[in-house]
Amino acid sequence: MSERRERGNSTRTRNTQAPKPGGFSVRGIFYGENRPLFWGAILLTLGLLMFIAFLSHVFTGSSDQSAIDGLWTDQTVRQADNALGLWGAVISQVFVYRWFGIGALLIPIIPILAGWTLLSGEQRLPLATISRHVVFYTLWISLLMGYFVMMSESQATWGFLSGGFGYEANLILFTFLKWGSFIVILMALFFFALSAYDITSPGFLKNLPLPDFRRRHSDSPEEDPETEASPRPLFTPGSNSFEPSEPVPARAPFIISSTKNEPPSQPTGPAFEVLHEEIPAIEPELPKGPLELEIEEEQPAEPVVAEEKTLSEELVEEFGEYDSTLDLPTYRNPGVDLLALPDDNPQEKVSHEELEGNKNRIVETLGSYGIRIAKIKATIGPTVTLYEIIPEAGVRISKIQSLEKDIALSLSALGIRIIAPMPGRGTIGIEVPNKRRETVYIRSVFSSDRFQKATYDLPIVLGKTVSNEIYVADLAKMPHLLIAGATGQGKSVGLNVLLASLIYRKHPSQLKFVLVDPKKVELTLFNHLERHYLAKLPNSDEAIITDTKKVIYTLNSLCIEMDSRYDLLKEAAVRNLKEYNAKFVERKLNPQKGHRFLPFIVLVIDELADLMMTAGKEVETPIARLAQLARAVGIHLVVATQRPSVKVITGLIKANFPARLSFKVTSSIDSRTILDAGGAEQLVGHGDMLLSLNSEMLRLQCPFIDTKEVEAICNFVGNQRGYNEAYALPEFEGDDTGELKEDVDINSFDPLLPDAARLVVTHQQGSTSLIQRKMKLGYNRAGRIMDQLETLGITGPFTGSKAREVLFHDLDSLDYHLKTMGLD
């Protein structure tokens, strides 16, 4: 059917015929008018199935346990007694046994109520309120049942009542509160009732009100304010406006008749007065005389004025965006062909017999102490094999941790490490060293997609994980790295791998290194990179810094560079180096005002202990300042040491290095100093290491890079065209710290000065009275010795009644200082 309508001098035809029903359409189900019915049926069915599965698990859960164990590890077809078969047993095992216990029976209420609302088209109960109540009572019932299960010490039998959440939460509460944890559980219900049921009177127990959602959906229209409808506005006779003839109360009740073709019953009461006068028809008045046609000329549209382009947009349009790599347009990054090929005939890492033997010995050792294992899984890594075990219910983790040495004895292993529990897995890990270790070649790592396609600002390869995955991190987000390890355990190789990673991925215009090598032999190969990647002080002969005094100057020069970069960021109104360089690339910053493209700067210190021994505070202060502030301006620190003692890695330095990497160390004290946890003393060496990052501990095997490979990389880069000179750091003029003034005569010093210096450093107390008592000297002579110690820089200046600050922390550094002063 079509309806013909006339409007003015035009005729428009509108098709009002209903569309003919078509065939089946999947798109119509998901996007058509039947979409609510479709999803409502899905949710209702899902809720009913979940409820049946959970309820059946209460009676069949113990018998279905054997069907679920090993479900994902073998191909055996298993049968379950659950009413919904194996699917119902698995989903119930998760929700009921592992999570919320019998409280999980309330969870299906949410999808059932949502599905019914979509099917019926009306919401009789508020879904949000019901969901909040379901979530609370699910957790609270699990918590309450967990208390009784814990008290009964029969989790294996009654664990389905509380689930894993209720049982573990009660263990934590009982540790702190003992029997008082039951009161806390009851008070949780009381506080929820206060907020959910509008309890405001002290006598609420005598007349407990209904929940809000029940009052809001009462069947009586007189008691339900939300179901009341507002009365229709009344017409005044002879008026076209919708204004009521007299004010109408806002909450006046009325009844609407549901009979068809019948007017609704009139409301009664003084609030309404219905007028029965007939409303006269109103005819439009037509003007007399000829009609005048008014013609309105269309005004020409105003021309669109093009927006003026900014200077930066004009520069980008004319010259393109700034490209820092055009400084060295012919430069090419090294290729993997410079690296050695992996062994063509690798030995078998771990045989099946070794795996089975270790598994059996672990199970037997734990079984001899009454610990039964429900499941065990092995993951073979390059250095260690990770055995993940799931003990039977009721076994305490601390009991397994205490058997670390017994397990190592039974396995005849070099040293094992127990991780209890494994983060995010719900298992206990036992790391056992492999008898045949796999060498992780640097070529296989650099040629991987994970490294080649990494989008990090400063991608570095750290090694392979226990599961043989290549681990690539972003040094810019760490933002600094602290490395420790005993001599010969792979620390220098790890530094070479880190430097090579950055060289392979970054252009010389984007990255600069400041290399500090007190040992003078570890980083000498990187001298070939001076005109490409290295930064140094102006008028400095060597790019690799080995002299202690130049180290102090360089560190202070980096602090000046950091401050100048912060000034540039402030003028550019940006927060970090990445945003600043993005603005510079888009030519929004004027080079004539001092702006320039800022490369990342990575400071690498190969041996911090030697610097702390010879310079102490003069090194610690700038390192701590750079670690605290330099991240935003693209200056990052990599600091390594062989001796991770508290005198080397001081609290001021350690607090600003959230990322720590430890190779094998000699004692658990060193491990806790570097990682804040034990385990580094149990590593097997030769590149085996632990990474502590973001409160997580990860075991890695460092790739191996040979000296010849480092030399090949440096020669490849050094033989290409580079800059005219190394990247110049700001000048820093020192005060000749550590040297005696010209007007000081060493021969005038007291002969007992070296002994007094050792006494002060040993007691860490710069006190004249200490020298007087211990050395049995007069006050005047002890005071003169104290003044001479200040002149030598061993103690600080006089501070009144307080003892002077001692500037040396150990006797080794003091003896070295006295020897350089000619007082040994």
Side-chain angles (χ1 to χ4, degrees):
M1 296 293 294
S2 64
E3 180 181 356
R4 190 182 182 91
R5 299 182 60 187
E6 294 185 0
R7 180 178 299 174
N9 296 328
S10 64
T11 302
R12 177 177 297 177
T13 302
R14 184 177 63 184
N15 189 7
T16 61
Q17 185 176 1
K20 296 180 180 180
F24 176 79
S25 173
V26 176
R27 181 179 178 84
I29 293 178
F30 287 94
Y31 299 97
E33 297 179 354
N34 295 330
R35 179 176 56 181
L37 298 179
F38 173 79
W39 290 112
I42 290 293
L43 290 174
L44 186 61
T45 304
L46 179 63
L48 292 175
L49 291 177
M50 290 175 64
F51 181 79
I52 295 173
F54 296 172
L55 184 61
S56 178
H57 180 81
V58 175
F59 305 96
T60 63
S62 58
S63 60
D64 290 343
Q65 184 66 40
S66 58
I68 299 175
D69 289 340
L71 178 63
W72 313 111
T73 57
D74 56 30
Q75 305 297 326
T76 306
V77 179
R78 301 173 180 270
Q79 300 294 330
D81 296 334
N82 192 283
L84 296 184
L86 189 59
W87 179 88
V90 172
I91 197 69
S92 301
Q93 174 78 4
V94 174
F95 279 87
V96 180
Y97 185 81
R98 293 191 177 183
W99 288 355
F100 307 118
I102 59 174
L105 293 173
L106 300 176
I107 296 178
I109 295 177
I110 298 176
I112 290 175
L113 182 59
W116 179 257
T117 301
L118 291 174
L119 285 174
S120 63
E122 58 181 358
Q123 186 174 352
R124 295 187 175 273
L125 295 176
L127 184 59
T129 303
I130 292 295
S131 300
R132 286 195 298 268
H133 283 73
V134 167
V135 171
F136 171 79
Y137 284 112
T138 299
L139 299 176
W140 187 81
I141 292 175
S142 175
L143 198 61
L144 182 64
M145 293 294 103
Y147 179 84
F148 296 108
V149 172
M150 181 190 66
M151 291 293 102
S152 64
E153 298 183 355
S154 302
Q155 187 193 15
T157 305
W158 302 105
F160 70 94
L161 294 176
S162 63
F165 166 78
Y167 183 79
E168 295 295 334
N170 273 278
L171 289 178
I172 297 173
L173 287 175
F174 193 81
T175 302
F176 295 99
L177 301 176
K178 297 298 181 182
W179 304 101
S181 59
F182 183 73
I183 299 177
V184 172
I185 297 174
L186 296 181
M187 292 304 295
L189 177 63
F190 175 76
F191 291 135
F192 178 80
L194 287 179
S195 61
Y197 300 107
D198 290 340
I199 299 174
T200 58
S201 174
F204 69 94
L205 292 176
K206 297 180 180 180
N207 188 15
L208 187 64
L210 292 174
D212 290 345
F213 63 86
R214 294 185 62 182
R215 293 202 308 270
R216 288 198 300 268
H217 294 270
S218 176
D219 294 334
S220 174
E222 297 181 357
E223 297 177 357
D224 192 351
E226 292 186 6
T227 58
E228 297 174 357
S230 302
R232 301 184 190 179
L234 303 180
F235 291 93
T236 303
S239 174
N240 291 334
S241 64
F242 285 87
E243 298 178 356
S245 58
E246 53 185 273
V248 182
R251 299 178 61 86
F254 67 97
I255 301 175
I256 301 177
S257 175
S258 61
T259 307
K260 294 184 178 180
N261 300 326
E262 294 182 2
S265 60
Q266 300 296 338
T268 60
F272 283 89
E273 183 180 357
V274 181
L275 306 179
H276 295 281
E277 291 86 356
E278 296 182 359
I279 302 176
I282 301 176
E283 296 181 0
E285 297 182 0
L286 299 177
K288 298 180 180 179
L291 297 177
E292 295 182 0
L293 180 63
E294 295 182 1
I295 300 176
E296 183 178 352
E297 296 182 0
E298 182 177 359
Q299 298 294 333
E302 296 181 0
V304 179
V305 180
E307 296 182 359
E308 295 184 1
K309 295 183 179 179
T310 61
L311 178 59
S312 61
E313 292 175 345
E314 293 178 356
L315 292 175
V316 170
E317 185 176 349
E318 182 177 358
F319 301 103
E321 293 185 341
Y322 176 80
D323 187 359
S324 63
T325 61
L326 295 180
D327 295 345
L328 299 176
T330 60
Y331 177 83
R332 293 185 300 113
N333 288 95
V336 294
D337 55 327
L338 300 174
L339 307 174
L341 291 171
D343 191 0
D344 294 334
N345 299 315
Q347 297 180 352
E348 184 182 9
K349 294 182 293 184
V350 181
S351 63
H352 182 72
E353 292 77 9
E354 182 179 348
L355 288 176
E356 285 295 328
N358 288 341
K359 183 197 73 172
N360 294 334
R361 282 189 286 271
I362 291 174
V363 173
E364 290 174 3
T365 303
L366 294 178
S368 62
Y369 290 94
I371 301 174
R372 305 301 175 188
I373 304 301
K375 182 180 178 182
I376 186 169
K377 173 187 175 183
T379 303
I380 303 175
T383 305
V384 298
T385 298
L386 174 64
Y387 294 88
E388 293 183 68
I389 62 175
I390 301 177
E392 291 185 352
V395 177
R396 295 186 179 273
I397 295 177
S398 58
K399 189 175 183 180
I400 298 179
Q401 287 180 310
S402 63
L403 299 176
E404 181 175 342
K405 294 182 179 179
D406 298 271
I407 299 174
L409 178 63
S410 65
L411 296 174
S412 301
L414 189 61
I416 68 170
R417 194 169 73 101
I418 295 180
I419 310 170
M422 293 286 292
R425 298 192 184 182
T427 59
I428 298 175
I430 302 177
E431 292 177 346
V432 181
N434 299 333
K435 294 181 179 179
R436 298 185 183 91
R437 298 181 52 184
E438 175 191 3
T439 301
V440 179
Y441 290 93
I442 192 68
R443 178 165 183 165
S444 63
V445 175
F446 279 2
S447 59
S448 64
D449 290 341
R450 178 163 293 187
F451 176 68
Q452 293 291 338
K453 297 180 180 179
T455 58
Y456 299 144
D457 293 330
L458 294 176
I460 56 174
V461 170
L462 295 180
K464 277 190 175 182
T465 64
V466 176
S467 57
N468 269 311
E469 296 180 355
I470 297 174
Y471 188 84
V472 181
D474 188 4
L475 181 60
K477 292 183 179 179
M478 281 184 171
H480 312 294
L481 181 61
L482 188 60
I483 303 176
T487 303
Q489 303 304 322
K491 178 170 56 64
S492 297
V493 174
L495 286 177
N496 290 337
V497 170
L498 186 146
L499 293 172
S501 302
L502 296 173
I503 293 171
Y504 262 77
R505 290 297 310 275
K506 305 302 292 186
H507 191 271
S509 64
Q510 302 169 345
L511 174 66
K512 301 298 176 184
F513 295 118
V514 177
L515 303 182
V516 177
D517 184 13
K519 293 186 288 188
K520 303 181 181 181
V521 294
E522 294 294 344
L523 301 176
T524 53
L525 291 176
F526 294 94
N527 262 322
H528 296 284
L529 308 179
E530 179 176 351
R531 294 185 299 111
H532 296 83
Y533 284 100
L534 299 190
K536 65 178 183 178
L537 291 172
N539 303 321
S540 179
D541 297 333
E542 297 181 355
I544 309 296
I545 307 164
T546 57
D547 184 66
T548 302
K549 185 188 300 183
K550 291 185 178 179
V551 172
I552 298 173
Y553 291 173
T554 303
L555 293 176
N556 287 279
S557 175
L558 281 174
C559 292
I560 298 174
E561 173 74 10
M562 176 186 69
D563 294 335
S564 65
R565 288 191 173 199
Y566 267 113
D567 292 337
L568 293 176
L569 265 62
K570 178 182 178 181
E571 294 177 5
V574 294
R575 296 178 299 174
N576 53 55
L577 179 78
K578 194 171 184 180
E579 295 177 2
Y580 178 87
N581 283 339
K583 269 194 171 184
F584 192 85
V585 166
E586 296 171 356
R587 301 186 184 275
K588 295 180 179 180
L589 302 176
N590 190 353
Q592 296 180 356
K593 296 183 178 180
H595 293 288
R596 65 187 189 277
F597 185 85
L598 300 178
F600 286 98
I601 297 178
V602 178
L603 170 64
V604 180
I605 300 177
D606 186 31
E607 184 50 66
L608 179 64
D610 183 74
L611 296 179
M612 294 294 292
M613 182 179 69
T614 56
K617 292 286 185 181
E618 296 172 289
V619 172
E620 180 185 4
T621 301
I623 288 179
R625 189 164 184 264
L626 289 171
Q628 289 171 349
L629 301 174
R631 171 186 182 179
V633 293
I635 301 177
H636 304 277
L637 281 63
V638 178
V639 179
T641 181
Q642 293 179 356
R643 193 175 56 177
S645 64
V646 293
K647 295 181 180 179
V648 176
I649 306 176
T650 62
L652 190 60
I653 293 178
K654 185 177 178 181
N656 296 287
F657 283 81
R660 290 91 172 268
L661 187 65
S662 178
F663 293 86
K664 182 178 176 62
V665 293
T666 56
S667 66
S668 61
I669 298 177
D670 291 344
S671 176
R672 295 185 182 278
T673 302
I674 181 69
L675 299 176
D676 291 331
E681 75 281 1
Q682 298 174 345
L683 299 176
V684 295
H686 302 287
D688 190 17
M689 57 188 181
L690 288 174
L691 173 66
S692 175
L693 182 62
N694 298 327
S695 302
E696 295 182 3
M697 196 78 69
L698 186 64
R699 191 166 187 172
L700 301 169
Q701 173 62 40
C702 179
F704 176 73
I705 184 170
D706 195 10
T707 304
K708 294 182 179 179
E709 294 173 309
V710 177
E711 186 176 3
I713 295 172
C714 294
N715 289 335
F716 177 84
V717 174
N719 292 334
Q720 299 186 57
R721 177 187 174 185
Y723 296 97
N724 296 330
E725 56 184 1
Y727 185 85
L729 297 174
E731 292 188 8
F732 176 79
E733 296 181 359
D735 54 357
D736 293 333
T737 303
E739 295 185 0
L740 291 176
K741 298 179 181 179
E742 295 180 358
D743 57 349
V744 177
D745 185 10
I746 298 178
N747 297 324
S748 64
F749 286 165
D750 195 290
L752 296 178
L753 177 64
D755 295 335
R758 295 184 182 95
L759 177 66
V760 167
V761 171
T762 301
H763 289 80
Q764 287 294 299
Q765 181 181 358
S767 172
T768 303
S769 60
L770 175 68
I771 298 176
Q772 185 180 1
R773 293 193 317 270
K774 296 293 184 180
M775 302 185 70
K776 299 180 180 179
L777 302 176
Y779 180 81
N780 293 334
R781 187 178 181 183
R784 286 194 300 270
I785 292 177
M786 182 58 67
D787 293 337
Q788 293 170 3
L789 291 176
E790 178 187 352
T791 303
L792 291 174
I794 297 175
T795 61
F798 178 72
T799 58
S801 60
K802 295 182 180 179
R804 297 173 185 247
E805 180 184 7
V806 181
L807 302 180
F808 287 82
H809 302 291
D810 56 86
L811 294 177
D812 293 337
S813 58
L814 174 66
D815 292 339
Y816 181 85
H817 181 67
L818 293 176
K819 184 177 181 180
T820 57
M821 297 296 105
L823 294 172
D824 190 10

